[in-house]
Amino acid sequence: MKKSSLLCLSILLCLLSAWLLRAHYSKPSGTGTTEVGVAHQERVKTGAPDAVVSAAANEDNPAAPDTQPLSAAAATIHAALEAALVELQSGDPARREAALQMLDELLSGAGHDAKAAIDAIMAFLRSGRDAQTGEEFVVGAEGLLDHAPTLRSLLMDHLGSLCLEAGQTEALTLAHSVLGKFGSTDEWAVCLRNTAWLDAKSGDFLTQKMEQMLSHEAWLKNPTRSFLESFDVIGSVGATSLLPRLEQFTSNQEMANLWRAGTVALDQFATNHPLETLQYLQSHPEFLQDRPLQRADLLAKADMGKSDQRALVEAYLQNPKFTADERGKVIDGLALQGGFLSQNLLTRPQAITPESEQLRIAMLHDLGNQWKGSNRFPDLNEYIDNLLLTTQPPPAE
């Protein structure tokens, strides 16, 4: 939750004052190095506790240190990032909370300078330094993080939205670098999201990265929250090549976290890509054969108002290889479509209005009458009767 702008400004000034005093007293005489640079050099050289350097330093960072000096606005923000680093590394909960609130206001509050913030964040991330925030990885509205476990993942989260706002691509360049090696699942999750946001043609790249992520044994053995949240990329980009992996995860409930993440990802895939789901199930009838009712739920995501999807569903309903219970569950699900309600990195709840839902229900009622009148699925008439009852229009007033 953001504090008032005045209070956050006071916090910012206090943090900056503390950091500048620290930098001043650690500055050796007779050099022309800036206070920011000296403070960083001294911490790394002495190995002080706050000289936490990410494994990404000098390897994952996408560019050599800037030769261009920061603008005055970017330098001020960069100094605030340095001050926040010190506060977060203190381990004191109150100081950490104040630093996080200050960063939230500085980087996304009213009147923030997107371009200056991007430059400052990139300059800071190049150092590779990091700090724990004391928080977990929590996705909030519109795929933004409500909480981030580290300062780097927090800054990458802000960097993505700032680049969207400013029409810049620094977050995309950084993402390709971070995703080039197995480092932090938190950073991977944010960078996958940033890539999707900033590159509309990144589907194949994201699919490749998800294949790598879901094959990395170290991450599979100890799945973090950010690792599990990354499954949402599959449902967003429509990565059919990864459906067998999701089937594996959903077949083993002993790994509860992977089972749930796989189940939600399958549901999101079918919701966002119903035609591709139907086509895949038609060409892979063995998919989820040990869980036919779950397969039926995926089929029920079809938009029966579209002729190509309706034809595939009707072919499935006529296929005697599938039990009447499974086929009947598809009919039940057409009228009472359900799904998982959650905040996700990329997928969003479908926009449903009373008007659109009324039209959809009326269409299903007409379709049910067609099926019943032609006796097209005689062994499913009980389910069709229930569809007609469920979708019956209210009596005219």
Side-chain angles (χ1 to χ4, degrees):
M1 181 180 297
K2 295 178 182 177
K3 291 189 176 183
S4 68
S5 297
L6 183 58
L7 182 54
C8 284
L9 180 59
S10 299
I11 295 171
L12 171 59
L13 291 173
C14 290
L15 291 177
L16 283 175
S17 298
W19 179 83
L20 288 171
L21 283 172
R22 178 190 181 95
H24 173 74
Y25 285 112
S26 65
K27 178 179 179 180
S29 61
T31 72
T33 311
T34 64
E35 291 181 352
V36 171
V38 169
H40 170 45
Q41 292 168 10
E42 287 299 306
R43 285 194 293 271
V44 174
K45 182 169 63 179
T46 60
D50 60 346
V52 177
V53 180
S54 164
N58 302 320
E59 295 182 19
D60 289 344
N61 296 318
D66 260 345
T67 56
Q68 296 295 325
L70 293 175
S71 67
T76 299
I77 297 172
H78 188 274
L81 301 184
E82 294 281 354
L85 176 69
V86 173
E87 296 303 292
L88 292 173
Q89 290 173 334
S90 73
D92 181 85
R95 290 172 64 183
R96 280 179 163 179
E97 182 181 2
L100 292 174
Q101 290 174 338
M102 177 273 289
L103 289 175
D104 185 50
E105 181 69 20
L106 183 67
L107 300 175
S108 62
H112 68 274
D113 186 333
K115 186 179 186 311
I118 291 169
D119 292 343
I121 290 172
M122 290 298 293
F124 182 88
L125 291 175
R126 287 188 187 96
S127 74
R129 289 171 298 155
D130 203 2
Q132 298 292 319
T133 64
E135 298 186 336
E136 295 185 342
F137 189 97
V138 179
V139 180
E142 301 301 317
L144 295 168
L145 299 190
D146 277 348
H147 303 286
T150 66
L151 179 57
R152 280 178 62 87
S153 57
L154 181 151
L155 294 178
M156 289 179 189
D157 178 53
H158 279 287
L159 186 64
S161 56
L162 288 165
C163 283
L164 273 179
E165 177 185 344
Q168 298 183 198
T169 60
E170 285 86 346
L172 182 60
T173 302
L174 176 67
H176 278 255
S177 180
V178 169
L179 297 172
K181 65 182 300 183
F182 295 113
S184 157
T185 58
D186 301 330
E187 294 182 16
W188 263 62
V190 175
C191 286
L192 289 167
R193 184 209 65 189
N194 287 350
T195 299
W197 277 1
L198 296 167
D199 183 1
K201 298 180 180 179
S202 61
D204 290 343
F205 174 78
L206 290 171
T207 298
Q208 178 190 43
K209 290 303 167 183
M210 285 304 304
E211 288 171 348
Q212 294 173 3
M213 193 176 203
L214 298 184
S215 300
H216 191 51
E217 288 299 325
W219 287 354
L220 286 170
K221 288 179 181 178
N222 184 28
T224 61
R225 289 189 64 164
S226 53
F227 177 84
L228 299 170
E229 292 287 0
S230 299
F231 281 46
D232 189 55
V233 175
I234 302 172
S236 176
V237 303
T240 54
S241 64
L242 288 171
L243 290 179
R245 290 292 278 152
L246 296 183
E247 182 182 24
Q248 291 175 3
F249 292 138
T250 58
S251 67
N252 182 10
Q253 294 194 31
E254 292 183 3
M255 294 290 289
N257 289 337
L258 290 174
W259 174 83
R260 186 181 188 283
T263 300
V264 173
L266 274 177
D267 184 83
Q268 293 294 348
F269 186 103
T271 299
N272 290 279
H273 304 279
L275 178 59
E276 290 80 357
T277 300
L278 294 169
Q279 292 170 334
Y280 186 86
L281 292 175
Q282 182 187 51
S283 59
H284 298 80
E286 74 287 352
F287 187 75
L288 294 176
Q289 62 182 356
D290 58 334
R291 284 159 285 155
L293 298 186
Q294 183 180 6
R295 180 169 58 192
D297 287 336
L298 301 181
L299 282 151
K301 303 288 186 180
D303 183 348
M304 299 300 284
K306 296 183 177 179
S307 59
D308 51 356
Q309 295 185 43
R310 184 173 65 250
L312 288 168
V313 171
E314 290 177 338
Y316 171 86
L317 294 178
Q318 280 186 313
N319 193 336
K321 293 182 179 180
F322 303 111
T323 68
D325 285 343
E326 179 181 352
R327 290 178 287 135
K329 193 170 192 300
V330 174
I331 296 176
D332 286 343
L334 290 174
L336 302 174
Q337 290 185 334
F340 292 91
L341 295 177
S342 59
Q343 303 283 12
N344 304 316
L345 285 171
L346 290 169
T347 60
R348 305 285 177 266
Q350 289 190 320
I352 299 175
T353 65
E355 294 77 13
S356 66
E357 184 64 5
Q358 185 177 8
L359 290 173
R360 191 184 74 86
I361 293 299
M363 176 271 296
L364 288 174
H365 190 78
D366 291 343
L367 183 60
N369 278 323
Q370 293 175 27
W371 287 345
K372 188 67 182 287
S374 63
N375 199 31
R376 187 166 184 181
F377 312 113
D379 62 334
L380 300 177
N381 278 334
E382 176 184 352
Y383 296 98
I384 296 173
D385 288 339
N386 188 55
L387 175 67
L388 292 172
L389 181 63
T390 303
T391 60
Q392 184 173 357
E397 295 183 358

